[in-house]
Coordinates of all heavy atoms in Angstrom, one line a residue:
M1 N -59.7 -62.2 97.2 CA -58.4 -61.8 97.1 C -57.5 -63.0 96.9 O -57.6 -64.0 97.6 CB -57.9 -61.0 98.3 CG -56.5 -60.6 98.3 SD -55.9 -60.0 99.8 CE -55.6 -58.3 99.4
D2 N -56.7 -63.0 95.8 CA -55.8 -64.1 95.5 C -54.5 -63.9 96.3 O -53.7 -63.0 96.0 CB -55.6 -64.2 94.0 CG -54.7 -65.4 93.6 OD1 -54.4 -66.2 94.5 OD2 -54.4 -65.5 92.4
H3 N -54.2 -64.8 97.2 CA -53.0 -64.7 98.0 C -51.7 -65.2 97.3 O -50.6 -65.0 97.7 CB -53.1 -65.4 99.4 CG -54.1 -64.8 100.2 ND1 -53.9 -63.6 100.9 CD2 -55.4 -65.1 100.5 CE1 -55.0 -63.3 101.6 NE2 -55.9 -64.2 101.4
N4 N -52.0 -65.9 96.2 CA -50.9 -66.4 95.4 C -50.5 -65.5 94.2 O -49.7 -65.9 93.4 CB -51.2 -67.8 94.8 CG -51.4 -68.8 95.9 OD1 -50.7 -68.8 96.9 ND2 -52.4 -69.7 95.8
Y5 N -51.1 -64.3 94.2 CA -50.8 -63.4 93.1 C -49.4 -62.9 93.2 O -48.9 -62.5 94.2 CB -51.8 -62.2 93.2 CG -51.4 -61.1 92.2 CD1 -51.7 -61.2 90.9 CD2 -50.7 -60.0 92.6 CE1 -51.4 -60.2 90.0 CE2 -50.4 -59.0 91.8 CZ -50.7 -59.1 90.4 OH -50.4 -58.1 89.5
K6 N -48.7 -63.0 92.0 CA -47.3 -62.4 91.9 C -47.3 -61.5 90.7 O -47.7 -61.9 89.6 CB -46.3 -63.5 91.7 CG -46.1 -64.4 92.9 CD -45.1 -65.5 92.7 CE -45.0 -66.4 93.8 NZ -44.0 -67.5 93.6
P7 N -46.9 -60.2 90.9 CA -46.9 -59.3 89.8 C -45.9 -59.8 88.8 O -44.9 -60.4 89.1 CB -46.5 -58.0 90.4 CG -45.9 -58.3 91.7 CD -46.4 -59.6 92.2
K8 N -46.2 -59.5 87.5 CA -45.3 -59.8 86.4 C -44.1 -58.9 86.5 O -44.2 -57.8 86.9 CB -46.0 -59.6 85.1 CG -47.1 -60.6 84.8 CD -47.6 -60.3 83.4 CE -48.7 -61.3 83.1 NZ -49.3 -61.1 81.8
A9 N -43.0 -59.5 86.2 CA -41.7 -58.8 86.2 C -41.8 -57.7 85.1 O -42.2 -58.0 84.0 CB -40.5 -59.7 86.0
V10 N -41.3 -56.6 85.4 CA -41.3 -55.5 84.4 C -40.1 -55.8 83.5 O -38.9 -55.8 83.9 CB -41.2 -54.1 85.0 CG1 -41.1 -53.0 84.0 CG2 -42.4 -53.9 85.9
E11 N -40.3 -55.9 82.2 CA -39.3 -56.1 81.2 C -38.8 -54.8 80.8 O -39.5 -53.9 80.3 CB -39.7 -56.9 80.0 CG -40.1 -58.4 80.4 CD -40.4 -59.2 79.2 OE1 -39.9 -58.9 78.1 OE2 -41.2 -60.1 79.3
T12 N -37.5 -54.6 80.9 CA -36.9 -53.3 80.5 C -35.8 -53.6 79.4 O -35.1 -54.7 79.5 CB -36.2 -52.6 81.6 OG1 -35.2 -53.4 82.2 CG2 -37.2 -52.2 82.7
K13 N -35.7 -52.7 78.5 CA -34.6 -52.9 77.5 C -33.3 -52.6 78.2 O -33.2 -51.7 79.0 CB -34.8 -51.9 76.4 CG -35.8 -52.3 75.3 CD -35.9 -51.3 74.2 CE -34.8 -51.4 73.2 NZ -35.0 -50.6 72.1
P14 N -32.3 -53.4 77.8 CA -30.9 -53.1 78.4 C -30.4 -51.8 77.9 O -30.6 -51.3 76.8 CB -30.1 -54.3 77.9 CG -30.8 -54.9 76.8 CD -32.3 -54.5 76.9
T15 N -29.7 -51.1 78.8 CA -29.1 -49.8 78.5 C -27.8 -50.0 77.7 O -27.3 -51.1 77.6 CB -28.7 -49.1 79.8 OG1 -27.7 -49.8 80.5 CG2 -30.0 -48.9 80.7
A16 N -27.4 -49.0 77.1 CA -26.1 -49.0 76.3 C -25.0 -49.4 77.2 O -24.1 -50.2 76.8 CB -25.9 -47.7 75.6
T17 N -25.0 -49.0 78.4 CA -23.9 -49.3 79.4 C -24.0 -50.8 79.7 O -22.9 -51.5 79.7 CB -24.1 -48.5 80.7 OG1 -24.1 -47.1 80.4 CG2 -23.0 -48.9 81.7
D18 N -25.2 -51.4 79.9 CA -25.3 -52.8 80.1 C -24.8 -53.6 78.9 O -24.2 -54.7 79.1 CB -26.8 -53.2 80.4 CG -27.2 -52.7 81.8 OD1 -26.4 -52.5 82.6 OD2 -28.5 -52.7 81.9
I19 N -25.1 -53.2 77.7 CA -24.7 -53.9 76.5 C -23.2 -53.8 76.4 O -22.6 -54.8 76.0 CB -25.4 -53.3 75.3 CG1 -26.9 -53.6 75.3 CG2 -24.8 -53.9 74.0 CD1 -27.8 -53.0 74.3
D20 N -22.6 -52.7 76.6 CA -21.1 -52.5 76.6 C -20.5 -53.5 77.6 O -19.5 -54.1 77.3 CB -20.7 -51.1 76.8 CG -21.0 -50.2 75.7 OD1 -21.2 -50.7 74.5 OD2 -21.0 -49.0 75.9
L21 N -21.0 -53.6 78.8 CA -20.5 -54.5 79.8 C -20.7 -55.9 79.3 O -19.8 -56.8 79.5 CB -21.2 -54.3 81.2 CG -20.7 -55.2 82.3 CD1 -19.2 -55.1 82.5 CD2 -21.5 -54.8 83.6
A22 N -21.8 -56.2 78.8 CA -22.1 -57.6 78.3 C -21.1 -57.9 77.2 O -20.6 -59.1 77.1 CB -23.5 -57.7 77.7
K23 N -20.7 -57.0 76.3 CA -19.7 -57.3 75.2 C -18.4 -57.6 75.9 O -17.7 -58.5 75.4 CB -19.6 -56.0 74.3 CG -20.8 -55.9 73.4 CD -20.5 -54.6 72.5 CE -21.7 -54.4 71.6 NZ -21.5 -53.2 70.7
Q24 N -18.0 -56.9 76.9 CA -16.7 -57.1 77.6 C -16.7 -58.5 78.2 O -15.8 -59.2 78.2 CB -16.4 -56.0 78.6 CG -15.1 -56.1 79.2 CD -14.0 -56.1 78.1 OE1 -14.0 -55.3 77.2 NE2 -13.0 -56.9 78.3
I25 N -17.9 -58.9 78.8 CA -18.0 -60.2 79.4 C -17.9 -61.3 78.4 O -17.2 -62.3 78.6 CB -19.4 -60.3 80.2 CG1 -19.4 -59.4 81.4 CG2 -19.7 -61.7 80.5 CD1 -20.7 -59.1 82.0
I26 N -18.5 -61.1 77.2 CA -18.4 -62.1 76.1 C -17.0 -62.2 75.6 O -16.4 -63.3 75.5 CB -19.4 -61.7 75.0 CG1 -20.8 -61.8 75.5 CG2 -19.1 -62.6 73.8 CD1 -21.8 -61.2 74.5
R27 N -16.3 -61.0 75.4 CA -14.9 -61.1 75.0 C -14.0 -61.8 76.0 O -13.2 -62.6 75.6 CB -14.4 -59.6 74.8 CG -14.9 -58.9 73.6 CD -14.3 -57.6 73.4 NE -15.1 -56.7 72.5 CZ -15.9 -55.7 72.9 NH1 -15.9 -55.4 74.2 NH2 -16.6 -55.1 72.0
T28 N -14.2 -61.5 77.2 CA -13.4 -62.2 78.3 C -13.6 -63.7 78.3 O -12.7 -64.5 78.4 CB -13.7 -61.6 79.7 OG1 -13.5 -60.2 79.6 CG2 -12.9 -62.2 80.8
A29 N -14.9 -64.1 78.2 CA -15.2 -65.5 78.2 C -14.6 -66.3 77.0 O -14.0 -67.4 77.2 CB -16.7 -65.7 78.2
I30 N -14.6 -65.6 75.9 CA -14.1 -66.2 74.7 C -12.5 -66.2 74.7 O -11.9 -67.3 74.4 CB -14.6 -65.5 73.4 CG1 -16.1 -65.7 73.2 CG2 -13.8 -66.0 72.2 CD1 -16.7 -64.8 72.1
T31 N -11.9 -65.2 75.2 CA -10.5 -65.0 75.2 C -9.9 -66.1 76.1 O -8.8 -66.6 75.9 CB -10.1 -63.6 75.7 OG1 -10.7 -62.7 74.8 CG2 -8.6 -63.5 75.7
K32 N -10.5 -66.5 77.2 CA -10.0 -67.5 78.1 C -9.8 -68.8 77.5 O -8.9 -69.5 77.8 CB -11.0 -67.6 79.3 CG -10.9 -66.5 80.3 CD -11.7 -66.8 81.5 CE -11.6 -65.7 82.5 NZ -12.4 -65.9 83.7
N33 N -10.6 -69.2 76.5 CA -10.5 -70.5 75.8 C -10.4 -70.4 74.3 O -10.5 -71.4 73.7 CB -11.8 -71.3 76.2 CG -11.9 -71.5 77.7 OD1 -11.0 -72.0 78.3 ND2 -13.0 -71.2 78.2
Q34 N -10.3 -69.3 73.8 CA -10.2 -69.0 72.3 C -11.6 -69.2 71.7 O -11.8 -68.8 70.6 CB -9.2 -69.9 71.6 CG -7.8 -69.6 72.1 CD -6.8 -70.4 71.4 OE1 -7.1 -71.4 70.7 NE2 -5.5 -70.1 71.6
Q35 N -12.5 -69.8 72.3 CA -13.9 -70.0 71.9 C -14.7 -70.4 73.1 O -14.1 -70.8 74.1 CB -14.1 -71.0 70.8 CG -14.0 -72.4 71.2 CD -12.6 -73.0 71.2 OE1 -11.7 -72.4 70.6 NE2 -12.4 -74.1 71.8
C36 N -16.0 -70.3 73.1 CA -16.8 -70.7 74.2 C -18.2 -71.0 73.8 O -18.6 -70.7 72.7 CB -16.7 -69.7 75.4 SG -17.6 -68.2 75.1
F37 N -19.0 -71.5 74.8 CA -20.4 -71.8 74.6 C -21.1 -70.9 75.6 O -20.5 -70.3 76.5 CB -20.7 -73.3 74.9 CG -20.1 -74.2 73.9 CD1 -18.9 -74.8 74.1 CD2 -20.7 -74.4 72.7 CE1 -18.3 -75.7 73.2 CE2 -20.1 -75.3 71.7 CZ -18.9 -75.9 72.0
V38 N -22.4 -70.9 75.5 CA -23.3 -70.0 76.4 C -23.0 -70.2 77.9 O -22.9 -69.3 78.7 CB -24.8 -70.2 76.1 CG1 -25.6 -69.5 77.1 CG2 -25.0 -69.6 74.7
P39 N -22.8 -71.5 78.4 CA -22.6 -71.6 79.8 C -21.3 -70.9 80.3 O -21.3 -70.4 81.4 CB -22.4 -73.2 80.0 CG -23.2 -73.7 78.9 CD -23.0 -72.8 77.7
Q40 N -20.3 -70.8 79.5 CA -19.1 -70.1 79.9 C -19.3 -68.6 79.9 O -18.8 -67.9 80.8 CB -17.9 -70.4 78.9 CG -17.3 -71.7 79.1 CD -17.7 -72.7 78.1 OE1 -18.5 -72.4 77.2 NE2 -17.2 -74.0 78.2
I41 N -20.1 -68.1 79.0 CA -20.5 -66.7 79.0 C -21.3 -66.4 80.3 O -21.1 -65.4 81.0 CB -21.3 -66.3 77.8 CG1 -20.4 -66.4 76.6 CG2 -21.9 -64.9 77.9 CD1 -21.1 -66.2 75.2
N42 N -22.3 -67.3 80.6 CA -23.1 -67.1 81.8 C -22.2 -67.2 83.1 O -22.5 -66.4 84.0 CB -24.2 -68.1 81.9 CG -25.2 -67.9 80.8 OD1 -25.4 -66.8 80.3 ND2 -25.9 -68.9 80.4
K43 N -21.3 -68.1 83.1 CA -20.4 -68.2 84.3 C -19.5 -66.9 84.4 O -19.4 -66.4 85.5 CB -19.5 -69.4 84.1 CG -18.5 -69.6 85.3 CD -17.7 -70.8 85.1 CE -16.7 -71.0 86.2 NZ -15.9 -72.2 86.1
E44 N -19.0 -66.4 83.3 CA -18.3 -65.1 83.4 C -19.1 -64.0 83.8 O -18.7 -63.1 84.5 CB -17.6 -64.9 82.0 CG -16.6 -63.7 81.9 CD -15.4 -64.0 82.7 OE1 -14.9 -65.2 82.8 OE2 -14.9 -63.0 83.3
N45 N -20.4 -63.9 83.3 CA -21.3 -62.9 83.6 C -21.6 -62.8 85.1 O -21.6 -61.8 85.7 CB -22.6 -63.1 82.9 CG -23.6 -62.0 83.2 OD1 -23.3 -60.9 83.5 ND2 -24.9 -62.4 83.0
N46 N -21.9 -64.0 85.7 CA -22.1 -64.1 87.2 C -23.2 -63.1 87.6 O -23.1 -62.5 88.7 CB -20.8 -63.9 87.9 CG -20.9 -64.5 89.3 OD1 -21.8 -65.3 89.6 ND2 -20.1 -64.0 90.2
G47 N -24.2 -62.9 86.8 CA -25.4 -62.1 87.2 C -25.2 -60.6 87.1 O -26.0 -59.9 87.6
R48 N -24.1 -60.2 86.5 CA -23.8 -58.7 86.4 C -24.8 -58.0 85.5 O -25.1 -56.9 85.7 CB -22.4 -58.5 86.0 CG -21.4 -58.9 87.1 CD -20.0 -58.5 86.7 NE -19.5 -59.6 85.8 CZ -18.4 -59.5 85.1 NH1 -17.6 -58.5 85.3 NH2 -18.0 -60.5 84.3
V49 N -25.1 -58.6 84.4 CA -26.1 -58.0 83.4 C -27.1 -59.0 83.1 O -27.0 -60.2 83.3 CB -25.4 -57.5 82.1 CG1 -24.4 -56.4 82.4 CG2 -24.7 -58.7 81.4
S50 N -28.2 -58.6 82.6 CA -29.4 -59.4 82.3 C -29.1 -60.3 81.0 O -28.2 -60.0 80.2 CB -30.6 -58.6 82.0 OG -30.5 -57.8 80.8
H51 N -29.9 -61.3 80.9 CA -29.9 -62.2 79.7 C -30.1 -61.4 78.5 O -29.5 -61.6 77.4 CB -30.8 -63.3 79.8 CG -31.0 -64.2 78.6 ND1 -30.0 -65.0 78.2 CD2 -31.9 -64.2 77.7 CE1 -30.4 -65.6 77.0 NE2 -31.6 -65.1 76.7
E52 N -31.0 -60.4 78.6 CA -31.4 -59.5 77.5 C -30.2 -58.7 77.0 O -30.0 -58.5 75.8 CB -32.6 -58.6 77.8 CG -33.9 -59.3 77.9 CD -34.1 -60.0 79.3 OE1 -33.3 -59.8 80.2 OE2 -35.0 -60.8 79.4
A53 N -29.4 -58.3 78.0 CA -28.2 -57.5 77.6 C -27.1 -58.4 76.9 O -26.5 -57.9 75.9 CB -27.5 -56.9 78.9
I54 N -27.0 -59.6 77.4 CA -26.1 -60.5 76.7 C -26.6 -60.8 75.3 O -25.8 -60.8 74.4 CB -26.0 -61.9 77.5 CG1 -25.3 -61.6 78.9 CG2 -25.2 -62.9 76.7 CD1 -23.8 -61.4 78.9
S55 N -27.8 -61.0 75.2 CA -28.4 -61.3 73.9 C -28.2 -60.1 72.9 O -27.9 -60.3 71.7 CB -29.9 -61.7 74.0 OG -30.5 -62.0 72.8
A56 N -28.5 -58.9 73.4 CA -28.3 -57.7 72.6 C -26.9 -57.6 72.2 O -26.6 -57.2 71.0 CB -28.9 -56.5 73.3
A57 N -26.0 -57.8 73.1 CA -24.5 -57.7 72.8 C -24.1 -58.7 71.8 O -23.3 -58.4 70.8 CB -23.7 -57.8 74.1
T58 N -24.6 -59.9 71.9 CA -24.2 -61.0 71.0 C -24.7 -60.6 69.6 O -24.0 -60.7 68.6 CB -24.9 -62.3 71.4 OG1 -24.4 -62.6 72.7 CG2 -24.5 -63.4 70.4
S59 N -25.9 -60.1 69.5 CA -26.5 -59.7 68.2 C -25.7 -58.5 67.6 O -25.3 -58.6 66.4 CB -27.9 -59.2 68.4 OG -28.5 -58.8 67.2
E60 N -25.3 -57.5 68.4 CA -24.5 -56.4 67.8 C -23.2 -56.9 67.4 O -22.7 -56.4 66.4 CB -24.4 -55.3 68.9 CG -25.7 -54.5 69.1 CD -25.5 -53.3 70.1 OE1 -24.3 -53.0 70.4 OE2 -26.5 -52.8 70.5
M61 N -22.5 -57.7 68.2 CA -21.2 -58.2 67.9 C -21.2 -59.1 66.6 O -20.3 -59.0 65.8 CB -20.6 -59.0 69.0 CG -20.3 -58.1 70.2 SD -19.8 -59.0 71.7 CE -18.1 -59.4 71.3
T62 N -22.3 -59.8 66.4 CA -22.4 -60.7 65.2 C -22.6 -59.8 64.0 O -22.0 -60.0 62.9 CB -23.6 -61.7 65.4 OG1 -23.3 -62.4 66.5 CG2 -23.7 -62.6 64.1
K63 N -23.5 -58.8 64.1 CA -23.7 -57.9 63.0 C -22.5 -57.1 62.6 O -22.3 -56.8 61.4 CB -24.9 -56.9 63.3 CG -26.2 -57.5 63.3 CD -27.3 -56.5 63.7 CE -28.7 -57.2 63.8 NZ -29.7 -56.3 64.3
S64 N -21.7 -56.7 63.5 CA -20.5 -55.9 63.2 C -19.3 -56.9 62.9 O -18.2 -56.4 62.6 CB -20.1 -55.1 64.4 OG -19.6 -55.9 65.5
K65 N -19.6 -58.2 62.8 CA -18.6 -59.2 62.4 C -17.4 -59.3 63.4 O -16.4 -59.8 63.0 CB -18.1 -59.0 61.0 CG -19.2 -59.0 60.0 CD -18.7 -59.0 58.6 CE -19.8 -58.9 57.6 NZ -20.4 -60.0 57.2
E66 N -17.6 -58.9 64.6 CA -16.6 -59.1 65.7 C -16.8 -60.5 66.2 O -15.8 -61.1 66.7 CB -16.8 -58.1 66.8 CG -15.9 -58.3 67.9 CD -16.1 -57.3 69.1 OE1 -16.9 -56.4 69.0 OE2 -15.3 -57.4 70.0
L67 N -17.9 -61.1 66.2 CA -18.2 -62.4 66.7 C -18.7 -63.3 65.6 O -19.5 -62.9 64.8 CB -19.3 -62.2 67.8 CG -19.7 -63.4 68.6 CD1 -18.5 -63.9 69.5 CD2 -20.9 -63.1 69.5
R68 N -18.3 -64.5 65.7 CA -18.7 -65.5 64.7 C -19.4 -66.7 65.5 O -18.8 -67.1 66.5 CB -17.6 -66.0 63.9 CG -17.9 -67.1 62.9 CD -16.8 -67.3 61.9 NE -15.7 -68.0 62.5 CZ -15.4 -69.3 62.4 NH1 -16.3 -70.0 61.8 NH2 -14.4 -69.8 63.0
L69 N -20.5 -67.2 65.0 CA -21.1 -68.3 65.6 C -20.9 -69.5 64.7 O -21.2 -69.5 63.5 CB -22.6 -68.1 65.8 CG -23.0 -66.9 66.7 CD1 -24.5 -66.7 66.7 CD2 -22.6 -67.1 68.1
K70 N -20.5 -70.6 65.3 CA -20.2 -71.8 64.6 C -21.0 -73.0 65.3 O -20.9 -73.1 66.5 CB -18.7 -72.1 64.6 CG -18.4 -73.4 63.9 CD -16.9 -73.6 64.0 CE -16.5 -75.0 63.7 NZ -15.1 -75.4 64.1
E71 N -21.7 -73.7 64.5 CA -22.5 -74.9 65.1 C -21.5 -76.0 65.4 O -20.7 -76.4 64.5 CB -23.6 -75.4 64.2 CG -24.4 -76.4 64.9 CD -25.6 -76.8 64.1 OE1 -25.8 -76.3 62.9 OE2 -26.5 -77.6 64.6
D72 N -21.5 -76.4 66.7 CA -20.6 -77.5 67.1 C -21.4 -78.8 67.0 O -22.3 -79.0 67.8 CB -20.1 -77.2 68.5 CG -19.1 -78.3 68.9 OD1 -19.5 -79.4 69.2 OD2 -17.9 -78.0 69.0
S73 N -21.0 -79.7 66.2 CA -21.7 -81.0 66.0 C -21.6 -81.9 67.2 O -22.5 -82.7 67.4 CB -21.3 -81.7 64.7 OG -19.9 -81.9 64.8
F74 N -20.5 -81.8 67.9 CA -20.4 -82.7 69.1 C -21.2 -82.2 70.3 O -21.9 -83.0 70.9 CB -18.9 -82.7 69.5 CG -18.6 -83.6 70.7 CD1 -18.7 -85.0 70.5 CD2 -18.4 -83.1 71.9 CE1 -18.4 -85.9 71.6 CE2 -18.1 -84.0 73.0 CZ -18.2 -85.3 72.8
E75 N -21.2 -80.9 70.5 CA -21.9 -80.3 71.7 C -23.4 -80.0 71.3 O -24.2 -79.8 72.1 CB -21.3 -79.0 72.1 CG -19.9 -79.2 72.8 CD -20.0 -79.8 74.1 OE1 -21.0 -79.6 74.8 OE2 -19.0 -80.4 74.6
H76 N -23.7 -80.0 70.0 CA -25.0 -79.6 69.5 C -25.4 -78.2 70.0 O -26.5 -78.1 70.5 CB -26.1 -80.7 69.8 CG -25.7 -82.0 69.3 ND1 -25.7 -82.3 67.9 CD2 -25.3 -83.2 69.9 CE1 -25.4 -83.5 67.7 NE2 -25.1 -84.1 68.9
D77 N -24.5 -77.3 70.0 CA -24.7 -76.0 70.5 C -23.9 -75.0 69.6 O -23.1 -75.4 68.9 CB -24.3 -75.9 71.9 CG -24.9 -74.7 72.7 OD1 -25.7 -74.0 72.1 OD2 -24.7 -74.6 73.9
W78 N -24.2 -73.7 69.8 CA -23.4 -72.7 69.1 C -22.2 -72.4 69.8 O -22.2 -72.1 71.0 CB -24.3 -71.4 68.9 CG -25.4 -71.6 67.9 CD1 -26.7 -71.7 68.2 CD2 -25.3 -71.7 66.5 NE1 -27.4 -71.9 67.1 CE2 -26.6 -71.9 66.0 CE3 -24.2 -71.6 65.6 CZ2 -26.9 -72.0 64.7 CZ3 -24.5 -71.8 64.3 CH2 -25.8 -71.9 63.8
E79 N -21.1 -72.3 69.1 CA -19.8 -72.0 69.6 C -19.5 -70.5 69.3 O -19.7 -70.1 68.1 CB -18.7 -72.9 69.0 CG -17.4 -72.8 69.5 CD -16.4 -73.9 68.9 OE1 -16.8 -74.4 67.9 OE2 -15.4 -74.1 69.5
Y80 N -19.1 -69.7 70.2 CA -18.8 -68.3 70.0 C -17.3 -68.1 69.8 O -16.5 -68.6 70.6 CB -19.3 -67.5 71.2 CG -20.8 -67.5 71.4 CD1 -21.4 -68.6 71.9 CD2 -21.5 -66.4 71.0 CE1 -22.8 -68.6 72.0 CE2 -22.9 -66.4 71.1 CZ -23.5 -67.5 71.6 OH -24.9 -67.5 71.8
I81 N -17.0 -67.4 68.7 CA -15.6 -67.2 68.4 C -15.4 -65.8 68.0 O -16.2 -65.2 67.2 CB -15.2 -68.1 67.2 CG1 -15.4 -69.6 67.5 CG2 -13.7 -67.9 66.8 CD1 -15.4 -70.5 66.3
L82 N -14.3 -65.2 68.5 CA -14.0 -63.8 68.1 C -13.3 -63.8 66.7 O -12.5 -64.7 66.4 CB -13.1 -63.1 69.1 CG -13.7 -62.8 70.4 CD1 -12.6 -62.2 71.4 CD2 -14.8 -61.8 70.2
R83 N -13.6 -62.9 65.8 CA -12.9 -62.9 64.5 C -11.6 -62.1 64.6 O -11.4 -61.3 65.4 CB -13.8 -62.1 63.5 CG -15.0 -63.0 63.2 CD -15.8 -62.3 62.1 NE -17.0 -63.1 61.8 CZ -17.3 -63.6 60.7 NH1 -16.4 -63.5 59.7 NH2 -18.4 -64.3 60.5

C-alpha cells in the first residue's frame, strides 16, 4: 500500500454561470486600470472561479471581439483591453 498516494484532481468543465462570473471579473479588473495583465485578473478573481473558467471567458470575449489582447514589449506579457 502506497501511503503517499494522492488521487488525481477531477477536472471539470466550467459551467456557464462560472464563465459569466469570470467575464464580470475580467471586465472589473480591466475597468479599474483601463487595461490589465493576468495578475490583476487573478487578484480580482480571488479564487471565486477556476483558472479554466477565466480561460474560457477570455476565449469567448476575444472571439466576440469584446476583449483585445496586445503584447506588451516592456512587460513581455499579454495586456487585456476592452474594446
Side-chain angles (χ1 to χ4, degrees):
M1 176 189 245
D2 184 4
H3 295 286
N4 295 321
Y5 172 77
K6 292 182 183 176
K8 291 183 180 179
V10 177
E11 292 184 29
T12 58
K13 279 182 81 174
T15 65
T17 304
D18 288 341
I19 293 172
D20 287 341
L21 178 56
K23 286 179 182 180
Q24 188 57 42
I25 290 166
I26 293 166
R27 287 185 198 105
T28 302
I30 293 171
T31 303
K32 285 185 177 180
N33 300 306
Q34 297 180 349
Q35 76 273 342
C36 72
F37 296 96
V38 172
Q40 284 103 359
I41 293 172
N42 292 337
K43 182 178 178 182
E44 188 67 36
N45 179 27
N46 199 22
R48 292 183 281 174
V49 296
S50 67
H51 172 73
E52 289 79 12
I54 294 286
S55 181
T58 302
S59 179
E60 285 184 15
M61 292 172 78
T62 303
K63 285 179 185 174
S64 69
K65 300 191 188 274
E66 179 182 357
L67 184 67
R68 181 168 70 97
L69 298 176
K70 176 184 167 193
E71 187 173 5
D72 185 285
S73 58
F74 183 74
E75 294 285 336
H76 302 290
D77 200 358
W78 289 106
E79 186 174 19
Y80 293 78
I81 304 165
L82 291 175
R83 289 184 184 243

